[in-house]
Amino acid sequence: MGAFDTLRIAGSGLGMHQTWLDMLGHNLANVNTARRTDQPAFQAQMLIAESQAGGGVRVDGVALSDPEGRLVHDPTHPLADEEGYVRMSELDLASQMSQLIMAQRGYQASVQVTKHAQESYGAALQIGRG
Amino acid sequence: MSVSGIEALGFTPATFSPTLPADVSSARSEAVGSSGFADLVLDGIDRLESVQHRADALSVQAATGDLGAIHDYTIAASEAAVTTQLTVALRNKAVEAFTEIMRMQV
């Protein structure tokens, strides 16, 4: 355990939440991505977080949503098949937006931890100061 | 240790005998050696240099747009700031102790 572990742990939290935010941004950017029915649908990314042995969190991997997606009837779509269907991702916009808020709040919480860590270090430096 | 006054009231004071692990006592005898404090300060300055170097490298990355994550730089910068403050505090204490000894009447 080092002197700056609080900062390191908060930094790992910041990194994980930033990756999560990136993934949510990617999913939201592709919310209207349509594919041909003979192709897999856009697969939303889901972050898998894992705690670290020495403290902190890390990104353990990325899970992808079902490539089956859902078939949407849109005959005017340039990618539509003979029956007028395209394959859309089964991405839930409301769920993604909720997760976006969670990731943002998590990021802000980690920033708060770094602030408190700095305050604590500052207080420790005051010890013995006349 | 015997405290007869309160033992008379039926109170047995807890006895505390501090025991130091072997490595602590040996480290202490080394630190008391001639260059103990100087080594400590030099080690601290070495660490300070490496921490500042990392913060510098990240600030260059931030300026050139190569920085992967903003918090990497801000955390490195605050770590460097706290380490600098700690080193300066140590140095001030050392100088204070030195002047205190120099002021001693012989």
Side-chain angles (χ1 to χ4, degrees), chain A residues 3-4 7-8 10-12 14-16 18 107 114 118 121-122 125 127-130, chain B residues 47 51 68-72 74-75 78-83 85-87 89 93 96:
Chain A
F4 294 109
L7 279 178
R8 185 184 59 74
S12 77
L14 286 165
M16 189 277 281
Q18 192 182 11
Y107 192 88
T114 62
Q118 261 175 295
Y121 297 144
L125 282 168
I127 297 173
R129 200 170 281 183
Chain B
R47 260 202 65 187
V51 170
I70 298 165
H71 61 265
D72 279 346
T74 49
I75 285 177
S78 50
E79 211 171 293
V82 173
T83 314
Q85 284 170 10
L86 178 62
T87 312
K93 278 287 168 199
E96 207 177 288

Side-chain angles (χ1 to χ4, degrees), chain A residues 41-46 63-68 89-91:
Chain A
F42 167 73
Q43 288 174 281
Q45 296 181 343
M46 284 170 281
L64 295 173
S65 71
D66 189 7
E68 194 64 33
S89 169
E90 58 171 22
L91 198 63

Side-chain angles (χ1 to χ4, degrees), chain B residues 11-89:
Chain B
F11 177 81
T12 342
T15 50
F16 173 68
S17 56
T19 48
L20 282 175
D23 55 332
V24 171
S25 48
S26 65
R28 177 181 290 178
S29 61
E30 275 169 34
V32 173
S34 58
S35 59
F37 187 76
D39 282 349
L40 195 75
V41 171
L42 286 175
D43 278 358
I45 290 174
D46 279 349
R47 260 202 65 187
L48 172 65
E49 262 180 7
S50 74
V51 170
Q52 280 181 340
H53 188 260
R54 202 168 73 227
D56 283 350
L58 284 166
S59 74
V60 170
Q61 284 183 19
T64 53
D66 296 328
L67 191 62
I70 298 165
H71 61 265
D72 279 346
Y73 167 62
T74 49
I75 285 177
S78 50
E79 211 171 293
V82 173
T83 314
T84 310
Q85 284 170 10
L86 178 62
T87 312
V88 169

Side-chain angles (χ1 to χ4, degrees), chain A residues 113-126:
Chain A
V113 172
T114 62
K115 277 187 194 166
H116 280 273
Q118 261 175 295
E119 265 175 46
S120 307
Y121 297 144
L125 282 168
Q126 295 297 319

Side-chain angles (χ1 to χ4, degrees), chain A residues 30-63:
Chain A
N30 283 289
V31 73
N32 287 315
T33 299
R35 299 260 171 86
R36 282 182 211 283
T37 46
D38 55 357
Q39 286 178 332
F42 167 73
Q43 288 174 281
Q45 296 181 343
M46 284 170 281
L47 180 133
I48 301 170
E50 181 56 78
S51 68
Q52 277 180 324
V57 69
R58 67 185 158 82
V59 178
D60 202 35
V62 184

